[in-house]
């Protein structure tokens, strides 16, 4: 129709660690109903999936992640006790993504893209819209305590989810007129913080601890023990508490991050709401449960289907 133009659609991909694989299913299902964003903004894992989509490599990325073992996860994280600012560098992960998926400059790619990070000194959110795409993503995923911060332009940057877990505001600032946002953390409060009611296991139960979160801790302990032998093991035993009545370090980190991001997300979205908010149901998936990628992806698809009527109304309204 003469004189009409398509409204720009923005996709705000939220933070949420391993739950971020739901973004893959959401993007793929959006495309099946005719929605392809003009602008993508991502915090933390949202920046990883957003960058991968822009590079046209979602199938390759999904296949790679789905094949990762827990040992692979820690190898790519490049775990080091002396990493500085976190217990992992993530260099191998970034090298793999750059080599296998390409590493163009953000200003040269389409759809338009921004990765969100946090200035550790001022607390300001930083919108990374220039430079090599994976360098921006690495800053956006620097989860405090886990991945070491990144220095850029004289600032130390950490995870974007610290200040803007679902970056609707950034999509709007970059010109999006209709915004679809994905909140990965809406149903997670209390997931990791409930006291365990079973009998405490004996002090030497490291190899028999049950549950996916404890399996991560066991694998981590085994990897670190192999690197630092007996001199590191007593410290790690204390750090990754084996007492099942006390939350382990991953439990504490995950619960704290979930609480923080939930509160920030609620506050920010109250003042800058999206046109459509997608809330995949991911409470059973933990911080590092990448071995459950297929489950998260399928829930992403299901989430789009649950909101299909609303989304199709957006398609009808994208021309003015």
């Amino acid at each position: 129709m003469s004189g009409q133009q398509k409204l720009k659609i923005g996709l705000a991909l939220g933070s949420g660690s391993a739950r971020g694989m739901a973004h893959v299913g959401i993007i793929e299902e959006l495309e099946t109903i005719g929605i392809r964003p003009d602008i993508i903004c991502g915090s933390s894992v949202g920046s990883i999936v957003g960058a991968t989509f822009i590079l046209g490599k979602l199938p390759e990325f999904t296949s790679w992640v789905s094949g990762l073992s827990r040992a692979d996860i820690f190898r790519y994280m490049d775990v080091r006790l002396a990493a500085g600012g976190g217990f992992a560098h993530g260099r191998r992960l970034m090298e793999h993504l750059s080599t296998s998926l390409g590493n163009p400059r953000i200003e040269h790619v389409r759809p338009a893209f921004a990765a969100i990070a946090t200035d550790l000194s001022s607390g300001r959110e930083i919108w990374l819209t220039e430079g090599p795409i994976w360098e921006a993503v690495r800053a956006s995923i620097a989860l405090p305590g886990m991945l070491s911060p990144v220095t850029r332009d004289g600032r130390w940057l950490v995870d974007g989810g610290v200040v803007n877990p679902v970056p609707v505001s950034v999509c709007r600032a970059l010109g999006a007129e209709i915004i679809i946002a994905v909140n990965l953390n809406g149903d997670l409060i209390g997931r990791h913080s409930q006291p365990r009611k079973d009998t405490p296991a004996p002090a030497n139960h490291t190899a028999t601890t049950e549950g996916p979160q404890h399996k991560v801790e066991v694998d981590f302990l085994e990897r670190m023990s192999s690197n630092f032998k007996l001199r590191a093991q007593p410290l790690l035993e204390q750090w990754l508490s084996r007492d099942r009545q006390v939350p382990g370090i991953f439990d504490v980190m995950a619960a704290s991050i979930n609480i923080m991001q939930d509160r920030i997300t609620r506050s920010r979205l109250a003042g800058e709401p999206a046109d459509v908010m997608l809330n995949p149901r991911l409470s059973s998936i933990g911080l590092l449960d990448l071995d459950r990628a297929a489950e998260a992806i399928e829930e992403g698809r299901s989430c789009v289907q649950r909101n299909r009527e609303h989304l199709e109304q957006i398609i009808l309204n994208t021309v003015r």
Side-chain angles (χ1 to χ4, degrees):
M1 287 180 277
S2 176
Q4 293 185 332
Q5 67 182 77
K6 181 179 178 295
L7 298 176
K8 288 185 178 180
I9 297 176
L11 182 60
L13 300 177
S15 58
S17 302
R19 295 182 293 275
M21 289 305 293
H23 289 319
V24 174
I26 285 170
I27 290 172
E28 292 176 344
E29 196 66 19
L30 287 175
E31 288 195 300
T32 67
I33 62 176
I35 297 178
R36 188 175 179 90
D38 304 287
I39 297 165
I40 295 181
C41 299
S43 279
S44 197
V45 69
S47 71
I48 295 181
V49 178
T52 304
F53 170 68
I54 286 169
L55 297 176
K57 300 290 187 178
L58 268 186
E60 294 90 337
F61 175 75
T62 302
S63 176
W64 173 68
V65 171
S66 299
L68 290 176
S69 66
R70 292 189 182 276
D72 291 331
I73 293 170
F74 284 108
R75 180 167 59 85
Y76 280 112
M77 286 177 65
D78 198 16
V79 174
R80 296 285 189 276
L81 276 181
F87 64 72
H89 285 296
R91 289 173 182 160
R92 291 176 181 173
L93 173 62
M94 291 299 107
E95 288 171 0
H96 173 81
L97 294 173
S98 298
T99 301
S100 61
L101 305 182
N103 192 25
R105 296 183 65 85
I106 296 174
E107 57 267 37
H108 297 160
V109 299
R110 289 295 179 272
F113 176 73
I116 319 312
T118 303
D119 184 336
L120 194 57
S121 176
S122 69
R124 294 177 54 196
E125 64 183 88
I126 306 298
W127 302 352
L128 301 174
T129 58
E130 297 180 341
I133 196 165
W134 293 114
E135 288 185 12
V137 168
R138 174 61 181 84
S140 185
I141 67 172
L143 191 66
M146 182 170 290
L147 282 175
S148 56
V150 171
T151 182
R152 178 167 171 148
D153 300 327
R155 297 178 292 205
W156 286 104
L157 303 182
V158 296
D159 197 297
V162 171
V163 289
N164 200 351
V166 185
V168 171
S169 58
V170 187
C171 281
R172 203 174 301 283
L174 294 183
E177 297 160 289
I178 294 175
I179 299 175
I180 302 167
V182 184
N183 179 15
L184 301 174
N185 303 310
D187 62 346
L188 297 177
I189 299 303
R191 158 79 167 86
H192 296 274
S193 58
Q194 295 300 317
R196 299 179 176 94
K197 301 183 183 303
D198 51 341
T199 303
N204 63 349
H205 73 286
T206 299
T208 60
T209 303
E210 297 177 352
Q213 192 68 36
H214 287 284
K215 179 62 164 62
V216 173
E217 295 177 6
V218 170
D219 288 346
F220 175 72
L221 179 61
E222 290 174 351
R223 172 175 169 77
M224 297 302 289
S225 294
S226 68
N227 288 340
F228 295 92
K229 305 300 182 184
L230 295 177
R231 66 186 180 86
Q233 188 163 342
L235 172 63
L236 292 169
E237 286 282 5
Q238 182 180 18
W239 191 33
L240 303 177
S241 173
R242 300 267 67 86
D243 185 347
R244 300 187 69 185
Q245 296 298 309
V246 178
I249 187 170
F250 285 110
D251 291 320
V252 173
M253 286 177 60
S256 300
I257 290 167
N258 290 342
I259 292 168
M260 175 193 72
Q261 293 190 349
D262 178 70
R263 298 299 183 260
I264 294 172
T265 298
R266 289 171 187 266
S267 176
R268 303 256 342 209
L269 292 179
E272 47 200 31
D275 295 279
V276 177
M277 176 59 67
L278 301 179
N279 294 286
R281 300 163 184 168
L282 302 163
S283 62
S284 66
I285 298 179
L287 190 70
L288 295 177
D289 288 349
L290 284 171
D291 53 326
R292 301 177 66 185
E295 181 181 340
I297 292 169
E298 186 55 37
E299 171 54 22
R301 294 193 181 103
S302 298
C303 182
V304 171
Q305 287 300 320
R306 292 194 296 269
N307 292 272
R308 183 162 185 160
E309 183 176 351
H310 193 182
L311 288 163
E312 287 178 337
Q313 286 298 316
I314 282 187
I315 298 173
L316 295 176
N317 292 321
T318 56
V319 177
R320 66 180 178 187

